[in-house]
Amino acid sequence: MITDKKHIQQLATLLLKKGITDIVISPGSRNAPMINTFTGIPDFICRNIVDERSAAYFAIGLALAKQKPVVIVCTSGTAALNYAPAVAEAFYQNIPLIILTADRPNYWIDQAESQCIRQEGIYRNFVKKEVSLPLGESEKDLWFAARQINECLNLAVSGTPAPVHINIPLEEPLHQLIDADLPEVKEIELNKIHSGIAVNDIVQLAETISQSQKILVLAGQSNPNSEMETVLIQFIEASGAVVLHEHLSNLSDPKFCGSVDAIMAAIPAEKANDSQPDLLISFGGQFVSKALKQFLRKNKPAQHWHLSLGGEHFDTYQSLTKVIKTDALDFFVAVSSQVQSSKTYLQLWKSKETKANQLRDKFVESIGFCDLKAFELIGRSIPENSVIHLGNSSPVRYALILNRVENTDYFSNRGTAGIDGCLSTSVGFASESDKLNTIILGDLSFFYDSNALWNKCIGSNLRIIVIHNGGGNIFGLIKGPSDSPAYNEHFFTGNSHKAEILAKAFGIDYFKAENEVELVEALAKFYSPKQQQVALLEVFTDSEVNVKVFRELFRKVKG
Ligand SMILES: Cc1ncc(C[n+]2csc(CCOP(=O)(O)OP(=O)(O)O)c2C)c(N)n1
C-alpha cells in the first residue's frame, strides 16, 4: 500500500531510480504519507528513531558506512529543528543527507495552528539546495515537484556532496492509502563531473612542483581509500614531498608523517624556516591539530593549492594561491609521472617524527594511570581490522597523539566538532558495518547523546568506551578556560553521574575500570570473542592528573 498523495509517490519513484533506499523515520502524523509509502515498498530499508537529533546523526553514520545518501523523514514543527545540528555536521563533512520534513500548507503558518513553525529554509546555511514542494496535484504541479526532487537528489551527490532539504506541505487527510504501483516519473540525470585538468595545466603544475624544494601535502579527513594511499606513495617517491596526515585521513603507510602535534612541538621556533614549505597542497576535510594551523599561518608557504571537486576556497592557512577543481586522486595520478624533486625535506620531517615519537613512547611508558595511559592500553587492545569512532574533544586529541591502530578505519564528527551526536553517528555506522566498531567518548558527550541507545538498530558489533574524567576535562588541557574563576562550574562542569545506570536501562553489558590493572582485565573481556553483545566500558580517571600528564607530554616531546 502507498499514499494517495501524488508528490510522495513521485518522490518514492525518484529515490528508487537513483538507488536511494535507506530511510530513517521519526514518528509523527504530518509525515504519515511518507511513512506509509516507504514502509509499504519492500525496496526501502526503514529504521525508526524517535529523537530527531539522534536520528539525523545516526543517518550520518549510516551514510558513511554505506557510502550512499540516506533519507531522514520527520513531522512538522520542532521535530524539523532538531535535525539542524546533524545537518550542519553533514554539510561540513560533505555527507549527502536527504532531509524530508512534512509541513502544513503555507496558509496555516503563523495562524495559531498546532505544530506549525516557519519551516521553509530552516537549514538554509547548511544545505546545497532547499525546496518546498507545491501542494496542488495538477499536471503542472506534478511536473514542477518532480523537477525539484530530481534536482535535489542530483545535487546531493554531485561535486562536493552535501545535504539537501525537501520540505513537503501536506493537506489532510493524511492516511489514505491505495493498493497501486508507484507512478512512472521522468528521471533527470546529472552527468558525473569529470575532474579532467587540461594537459597544459598538468605540465605547468608539475613544473612548479619540480621546482619546489619543500612540498607539504596535507591529507585532511577522508574516507578510507586504498587507491589514494598507493597514488600518494608514488607522488612522494617522485617528488620528495612530505604527506602529513592524521588518523582521520585514513592513510597508514609509514612513508607518510602522522603524529602532527608531536612534530609541531618538536620544531623549535628558531628553526621553523627549515620546516616551512614552499608549496602546500591540501585536500580532504579539516585537520584537528591547532598547532599545525598556527605553524602554517606563521610560516606561510609561497604557494598553497587546494584540490576539491566543488572548488571551495579553503584559505585555512591564509596563503591560498590556487584552487584546483579536481578529484585529489586524479590530480596526483596526473602529476606524479612528470615531477622530480629533492628528498631532503622529507628526511627532515621523518627524523623529527621518529624522535618525537621516541620521546612520546618513553614518556607514556613512565606515567601512571590517566587518560593518556588509558588510550594507550585501549589502542593496544582494539582488534585489527575494526572501526574506531572518536568523540570530541579530548578523545580525538588523545587518540591522535598515539599511533594508529593497524588496519583500522577512523571516523569522527569533525565537520563541526559537536559533542551532541558522536554516539548516535557511531551507532548508525555500526548498524551497517560487518566489522567491530569502537566509539571512545567523554562522559559529558555520552550523557548528552545517550538517546543514541534508544533505538532498535544497535548492533552487537558495537563497543562503547566512556572516558569518565569527571566532566569536560578538555577545558583543563587547553589554555584559557583553566585560568577562569568560573572553570569548575561552567567549563569543566563536574559530572558525578555514572554511565552504568544508562547501560543497564538499555540492556547493554557493562564493564568498568578505575586503574591500569582493572582496565587491562576489562579490555580482555570487552574484546573477547565471547562478548557477543553490545558492551559499554566506563574508565574512571582523575582530571587533575590528566592535565598534568598532558602538559608534561608536550614539554618532554619538545626535548
Ligand atoms: C553541542 C556542543 N556543545 C558544546 C560544545 C563545547 N565542548 C567541547 S568539548 C566539551 C566537553 C566535552 O566533555 P567530555 O565529553 O566529557 O569529553 P572530554 O572533556 O574528555 O573532552 C564541550 C562542552 C561542543 N563541542 N558541542
Side-chain angles (χ1 to χ4, degrees):
M1 301 290 268
I2 57 171
T3 176
D4 66 345
K5 307 268 184 227
K6 295 208 166 87
H7 301 323
I8 307 299
Q9 297 172 2
Q10 288 190 317
L11 177 62
T13 301
L14 287 170
L15 285 169
L16 289 178
K17 282 199 172 189
K18 292 183 187 295
I20 303 171
T21 51
D22 288 288
I23 319 275
V24 181
I25 294 170
S26 294
S29 158
R30 188 66 39 180
N31 52 346
M34 277 103 88
I35 299 179
N36 286 326
T37 304
F38 295 145
T39 53
I41 298 168
D43 290 339
F44 288 113
I45 310 160
C46 297
R47 292 104 174 150
N48 177 276
I49 296 182
V50 177
D51 175 340
E52 286 85 4
R53 177 200 49 78
S54 176
Y57 274 114
F58 176 98
I60 288 182
L62 202 57
L64 280 167
K66 295 193 100 171
Q67 288 298 300
K68 274 179 74 179
V70 171
V71 176
I72 49 177
V73 186
C74 72
T75 189
S76 59
T78 55
L81 278 176
N82 274 294
Y83 277 164
V87 174
E89 176 63 31
F91 181 72
Y92 287 109
Q93 227 192 111
N94 310 138
I95 292 170
L97 290 187
I98 314 294
I99 311 153
L100 308 180
T101 53
D103 200 357
R104 309 242 160 187
N106 64 1
Y107 48 77
W108 283 127
I109 307 300
D110 293 346
Q111 302 307 309
E113 246 293 348
S114 140
Q115 217 176 310
C116 255
I117 62 167
R118 298 170 200 175
Q119 252 174 239
E120 283 190 18
I122 43 172
Y123 317 114
R124 181 158 294 157
N125 291 330
F126 310 113
V127 289
K128 210 190 234 177
K129 177 88 187 163
E130 45 160 350
V131 298
S132 252
L133 298 186
L135 195 59
E137 295 193 344
S138 70
E139 205 178 311
K140 216 183 253 177
D141 286 327
L142 290 175
W143 158 77
F144 180 40
R147 195 194 74 205
Q148 286 182 310
I149 297 165
N150 263 299
E151 190 174 349
C152 279
L153 301 185
N154 286 345
L155 289 178
V157 290
S158 75
T160 303
V164 291
H165 177 203
I166 305 178
N167 188 50
I168 310 175
L170 289 155
E171 286 278 20
E172 289 171 26
L174 300 165
H175 283 275
Q176 283 189 334
L177 300 183
I178 55 170
D179 191 359
D181 290 334
L182 288 175
E184 184 48 42
V185 185
K186 176 170 60 85
E187 182 189 4
I188 304 172
E189 288 175 16
L190 181 66
N191 258 14
K192 275 226 165 84
I193 298 175
H194 292 292
S195 46
I197 320 169
V199 178
N200 275 352
D201 289 347
I202 292 169
V203 173
Q204 269 184 15
L205 294 169
E207 222 172 272
T208 308
I209 293 172
S210 298
Q211 282 159 9
S212 305
Q213 290 304 307
K214 298 190 288 180
I215 306 155
L216 184 61
V217 175
L218 297 185
Q221 181 170 12
S222 295
N223 293 327
N225 180 345
S226 55
E227 212 183 332
M228 183 57 124
E229 180 118 3
T230 312
V231 166
L232 281 173
I233 292 169
Q234 283 160 3
F235 182 71
I236 291 179
E237 279 162 3
S239 68
V242 173
V243 173
L244 211 54
H245 69 110
E246 292 181 326
H247 299 2
L248 302 172
S249 323
N250 283 303
L251 298 171
S252 58
D253 195 277
K255 291 196 180 68
F256 309 134
C257 286
S259 313
V260 179
D261 275 341
I263 299 177
M264 288 298 126
I267 298 177
E270 64 282 5
K271 290 208 171 156
N273 266 355
D274 301 344
S275 306
Q276 177 181 26
D278 312 328
L279 172 63
L280 182 70
I281 305 175
S282 62
F283 67 93
Q286 301 179 27
F287 267 72
V288 177
S289 172
K290 197 170 172 184
L292 174 69
K293 285 174 200 142
Q294 285 168 340
F295 173 80
L296 287 171
R297 282 174 196 163
K298 219 166 159 192
N299 301 284
K300 292 188 173 57
Q303 296 200 56
H304 171 198
W305 303 347
H306 182 64
L307 317 177
S308 130
L309 265 181
E312 288 84 5
H313 285 51
F314 285 160
D315 196 4
T316 319
Y317 312 102
Q318 301 169 312
S319 51
L320 186 68
T321 49
K322 203 187 276 287
V323 175
I324 306 178
K325 274 187 106 175
T326 178
D327 182 72
L329 191 118
D330 295 348
F331 170 85
F332 289 112
V333 169
V335 295
S336 284
S337 58
Q338 307 193 25
V339 297
Q340 49 197 341
S341 191
S342 88
K343 302 265 188 287
T344 52
Y345 189 56
L346 177 57
Q347 280 153 10
L348 175 84
W349 280 74
K350 269 284 158 208
S351 69
K352 278 205 189 316
E353 184 186 31
T354 310
K355 203 169 147 213
N357 283 350
Q358 278 165 356
L359 291 170
R360 172 202 66 188
D361 292 346
K362 207 169 143 205
F363 177 70
V364 175
E365 182 80 38
S366 72
I367 55 177
F369 194 58
C370 61
D371 279 0
L372 184 58
K373 190 77 175 180
F375 270 85
E376 202 253 338
L377 296 170
I378 292 166
R380 272 200 245 155
S381 307
I382 293 179
E384 278 196 27
N385 196 29
S386 60
V387 178
I388 299 178
H389 304 269
L390 297 169
N392 291 308
S393 189
S394 76
V396 71
R397 286 165 209 273
Y398 280 118
L400 265 52
I401 287 171
L402 299 163
N403 289 341
R404 286 177 61 89
V405 176
E406 302 235 341
N407 293 324
T408 298
D409 300 337
Y410 281 82
F411 295 90
S412 179
N413 281 349
R414 290 304 297 180
T416 59
I419 60 166
D420 47 351
C422 308
L423 187 55
S424 295
T425 304
S426 68
V427 169
F429 194 108
S431 73
E432 274 300 326
S433 166
D434 50 10
K435 297 181 176 178
L436 190 72
N437 279 241
T438 299
I439 161 95
I440 313 174
L441 79 174
D443 51 304
L444 296 194
S445 314
F446 172 78
F447 282 97
Y448 198 135
D449 191 20
S450 58
N451 272 358
L453 305 177
W454 186 28
N455 64 65
K456 293 191 185 116
C457 312
I458 299 176
S460 54
N461 59 343
L462 185 66
R463 299 288 175 272
I464 304 162
I465 302 183
V466 179
I467 304 290
H468 199 316
N469 45 33
N473 209 174
I474 181 70
F475 297 119
L477 306 185
I478 54 179
K479 284 188 192 131
S482 50
D483 302 326
S484 163
Y487 173 71
N488 269 329
E489 197 169 355
H490 294 290
F491 291 98
F492 179 62
T493 318
N495 169 40
S496 56
H497 296 288
K498 301 203 166 87
E500 179 170 12
I501 294 163
L502 281 174
K504 290 210 165 122
F506 290 109
I508 292 173
D509 289 354
Y510 177 82
F511 300 82
K512 76 167 183 176
E514 289 180 346
N515 56 49
E516 191 170 334
V517 174
E518 284 180 13
L519 182 56
V520 171
E521 273 174 25
L523 284 166
K525 290 185 199 146
F526 195 65
Y527 286 117
S528 148
K530 284 193 201 136
Q531 180 59 38
Q532 290 286 325
Q533 256 232 81
V534 50
L536 187 151
L537 167 59
E538 194 169 20
V539 184
F540 294 92
T541 60
D542 183 314
S543 60
E544 285 177 20
V545 174
N546 292 332
V547 172
K548 274 192 206 127
V549 168
F550 189 83
R551 297 201 173 149
E552 187 58 20
L553 165 75
F554 286 101
R555 270 195 290 273
K556 281 275 172 344
V557 170
K558 267 188 187 140

